[in-house]
Amino acid sequence: MPELPEVETVKRGLETALKGKVIKHVTLKRAGLRFPFPLFFVENLEGRTLKTFARRAKYILITFDNDKILLIHLGMSGKLLVHAKMPEILDKHDHVIIECTDAMVAIFNDARRFGVMTLLEKDEIHPLLANLGIEPFSDAFTLKNIYPLLQKAKVSIKQFLMNQKYISGIGNIYASEALFLSGIDPKKETNTIPRPKAEALLKAIRQVLEAAIKSGGSTLRDYVRSSGDVGYFQHSFTVYGRENQSCIKCTSPIRKMTQQGRSTFFCPICQK
DNA sequence: ATTGTCCCCTGCCCGC
DNA sequence: TGCGGGCAGGGGACAA
């Protein structure tokens, strides 16, 4: 699923629904997701008040009244749905059930189990968070900071955008979209991108991510918001999933290629 | 220290 | 209809 806009949307939904609630009971339906759940995971969650909700890259961090932090990653197919009360029937991929004292229930569902749920201590630098790059909506997201990274990295710009250690939160969809918006060939080596193009790229990244958040993210198959509603930014895609359809700028056919095992969509005329 | 390949897992869609 | 292959919003673990 989920790139920055989807994770941000889920985070906001959880915050609205669960902030200040108290966890009454946690049920694990299996021993782990991508990693095993930590020791005493359930014991550490039960009785806690959910205080603050944050997002870093594609991770959601929920801090409790004892300062421990629940770290969540949705992987490819993870969903976190909030229900007013416990559903009658559970799905076979409902792995973690978090019941609050007011009967509200949050359920983590993840068919592919690439997701992560673990607990951090206050101020702990977890390995998963240790090497994350610049947040697209932070003050550090400037040409001054990012241009040197482009000059140093010896990879294609698509690969650069996908690598979370440079800029965090962009995945396969929004990488293609931002490169189209800024007119950059996804294969272009980062150190050959002129400053004005790099500047246009940064602007395009913020623009597309912001627009996607406003649309509640993009739903291709698995992704839903915590309310169960789908996102609708997929209707605004300019290139992603539009192979052989006509470019919105020049009408020539959009192409699809594979880079590092992932699909890239682009317009060979508009992106140089 | 980087960079490429493989792998984790399930579901869905396509072609035969 | 059934089955095999390929592909899917991610990213860690290796090998070179």
Side-chain angles (χ1 to χ4, degrees), chain A residues 197-266:
Chain A
K197 275 284 188 187
E199 193 157 22
L201 176 60
L202 299 195
K203 195 176 162 195
I205 289 169
R206 277 200 173 172
Q207 185 188 321
V208 71
L209 294 178
E210 192 174 338
I213 292 170
K214 281 189 175 149
S215 298
S218 305
T219 295
L220 297 187
R221 44 177 70 77
D222 297 312
Y223 166 72
V224 286
R225 310 169 66 154
S226 61
S227 58
D229 297 325
V230 297
Y232 52 94
F233 191 72
Q234 65 278 11
H235 302 302
S236 302
F237 288 170
T238 55
V239 286
Y240 190 88
R242 297 192 64 246
E243 186 182 16
N244 295 330
Q245 295 178 42
S246 74
C247 172
I248 60 165
K249 288 184 192 166
C250 76
T251 74
S252 69
I254 297 301
R255 302 283 185 207
K256 177 182 177 178
M257 65 178 166
T258 300
Q259 291 179 285
Q260 284 71 47
R262 310 295 300 276
S263 298
T264 303
F265 296 87
F266 66 108

Side-chain angles (χ1 to χ4, degrees), chain A residues 2 8 13 33 44 46 53 61 73 75-76 112 115 135 168 203 214 218 227 229 233 264:
Chain A
E8 178 65 26
L33 299 164
N44 274 304
E46 289 179 349
F53 295 71
L61 298 98
H73 192 287
M76 289 278 257
R112 294 174 72 179
E135 280 288 330
S168 63
K203 195 176 162 195
K214 281 189 175 149
S218 305
S227 58
D229 297 325
F233 191 72
T264 303

Side-chain angles (χ1 to χ4, degrees), chain A residues 102-118:
Chain A
D102 68 347
M104 195 164 261
V105 186
I107 298 180
F108 190 96
N109 178 293
D110 186 6
R112 294 174 72 179
R113 301 203 302 277
F114 290 168
V116 174
M117 252 193 174
T118 195

Side-chain angles (χ1 to χ4, degrees), chain A residues 102-145:
Chain A
D102 68 347
M104 195 164 261
V105 186
I107 298 180
F108 190 96
N109 178 293
D110 186 6
R112 294 174 72 179
R113 301 203 302 277
F114 290 168
V116 174
M117 252 193 174
T118 195
L119 214 51
L120 311 185
E121 298 299 324
K122 183 182 199 286
D123 299 325
E124 176 182 351
I125 311 280
H126 192 277
L128 291 171
L129 305 178
N131 297 305
L132 293 173
I134 298 170
E135 280 288 330
F137 292 108
S138 71
D139 292 341
F141 191 73
T142 60
L143 191 63
K144 185 170 179 292
N145 287 336

Side-chain angles (χ1 to χ4, degrees), chain A residues 29-30 75 82 92 107 121 156 168 249:
Chain A
K29 308 295 278 189
R30 55 181 309 116
V82 174
K92 68 170 172 172
I107 298 180
E121 298 299 324
S156 70
S168 63
K249 288 184 192 166

Side-chain angles (χ1 to χ4, degrees), chain A residues 20 45 71 193:
Chain A
L45 292 175
L71 179 71
I193 297 175

